[in-house]
Amino acid sequence: MAFLEVRDIVKSFGGLRALQDVSLSVEKGEIRAIIGPNGAGKSTLFNVMTGLLSPDSGEVRFDGERISGIPPHRVIRKGIGRSFQITNIFPRMSVFENVQVALFSHHRENRSALSLARNFREVTDEVLAILGLVGLAEKFDSSASVLSHGDQKRLEIAITLACRPKLLMLDEPTAGMSRFESRETIALLQKISREQGLTLVFTEHDMDIVFGISEKITVLQQGMVIADGTPSEIKANPEVRKAYLGEEIAE
């Protein structure tokens, strides 16, 4: 059984069918890209997979459990973390406080307020460890609002990691970044996936990144899966080239 299974998902908005019989499976520890032209249904699929939208039919299963149709906060508790195209942080808080709030929220599920107070040092150590993992330890007391765009994305990843996900889903993690920031962020994601044993599913428009780190790639067009396979299989697929209408597919 796959770690993440998407089975025959259909999702419509009025007369528009955004997803049509979409299926894919992701193994534990895999790095999977979901790509496609604008309007292909990538963000809609992400929203269905993380509980922001309920499918009209079909199901999503994670770690052996059906999760389609349950609210996002319960999806997070199951072990799925997500970041968005638009950075989702608390700009008026410090870098440290952003991650601390996420950790307290995570620990509150299993600990009383008294227990949390007694373990404040433990939480502090966890925050610093996570910030060290994403390269923000030296900026722990900086306001989140003054960080560069790349560092804000790193902070969002840190917030997501504070919820202890088993699966990390990233919607265009390098959107709005410079080329240097993009390369740094992708190297960071590879490091986190390897060191934390995380499964990683992401959408991305930069084909150099997609073909550089993905182990498997799913291609959407007009809400349907038109290809699914290894990077070499996707590069050689004539239907993928046609769908991108001349967009560069790395050789």
Side-chain angles (χ1 to χ4, degrees), residues 25-215:
S25 62
V26 179
E27 299 300 326
K28 192 170 185 177
E30 183 179 303
I31 299 179
R32 164 78 60 131
I34 298 175
I35 66 172
N38 290 331
K42 302 184 297 295
S43 291
T44 300
L45 178 58
F46 258 49
N47 288 338
V48 169
M49 292 162 72
T50 55
L52 288 172
L53 292 172
S54 294
D56 299 332
S57 62
E59 67 174 2
V60 180
R61 300 187 68 85
F62 174 65
D63 206 11
E65 294 185 59
R66 179 183 174 124
I67 61 169
S68 44
I70 69 175
H73 69 275
R74 288 183 56 198
V75 172
I76 292 172
R77 290 176 193 169
K78 297 289 185 184
I80 297 179
R82 177 182 177 179
S83 73
F84 294 81
Q85 292 182 28
I86 299 174
T87 307
N88 189 21
I89 61 175
F90 300 105
R92 295 185 180 181
M93 291 184 178
S94 70
V95 169
F96 181 91
E97 289 167 338
N98 266 269
V99 181
Q100 183 185 48
V101 166
L103 261 179
F104 272 129
S105 177
H106 172 71
H107 285 309
R108 193 173 293 120
E109 298 297 324
N110 301 311
R111 300 184 184 182
S112 66
L114 179 60
S115 177
L116 282 172
R118 287 173 175 170
N119 288 278
F120 185 79
R121 170 49 59 186
E122 177 186 332
V123 171
T124 298
D125 290 343
E126 284 188 77
V127 172
L128 293 176
I130 292 170
L131 290 177
L133 183 64
V134 302
L136 290 177
E138 293 183 359
K139 299 180 180 180
F140 77 96
D141 59 348
S142 299
S143 170
S145 63
V146 304
L147 296 179
S148 68
H149 180 66
D151 279 347
Q152 287 186 348
K153 295 294 284 189
R154 286 172 178 262
L155 178 55
E156 186 182 29
I157 292 170
I159 291 169
T160 305
L161 291 175
C163 296
R164 301 302 186 203
K166 294 179 284 186
L167 166 65
L168 192 58
M169 298 187 61
L170 307 172
D171 199 352
E172 297 194 22
T174 68
M177 290 186 184
S178 67
R179 198 162 190 82
F180 176 75
E181 287 178 324
S182 295
R183 295 299 177 267
E184 277 200 328
T185 299
I186 292 306
L188 170 65
L189 292 175
Q190 287 181 293
K191 176 176 178 284
I192 290 171
S193 176
R194 181 176 63 253
E195 293 182 357
Q196 302 294 307
L198 291 178
T199 305
L200 179 61
V201 177
F202 70 102
T203 68
E204 181 59 61
H205 282 292
D206 188 325
M207 292 298 102
D208 287 341
I209 290 172
V210 168
F211 287 101
I213 72 168
S214 302
E215 295 167 355

Side-chain angles (χ1 to χ4, degrees), residues 207-236:
M207 292 298 102
D208 287 341
I209 290 172
V210 168
F211 287 101
I213 72 168
S214 302
E215 295 167 355
K216 292 287 184 68
I217 300 171
T218 299
V219 186
L220 294 179
Q221 182 187 26
Q222 296 180 344
M224 296 181 289
V225 174
I226 63 168
D228 188 273
T230 64
S232 59
E233 290 170 338
I234 297 302
K235 288 178 187 178

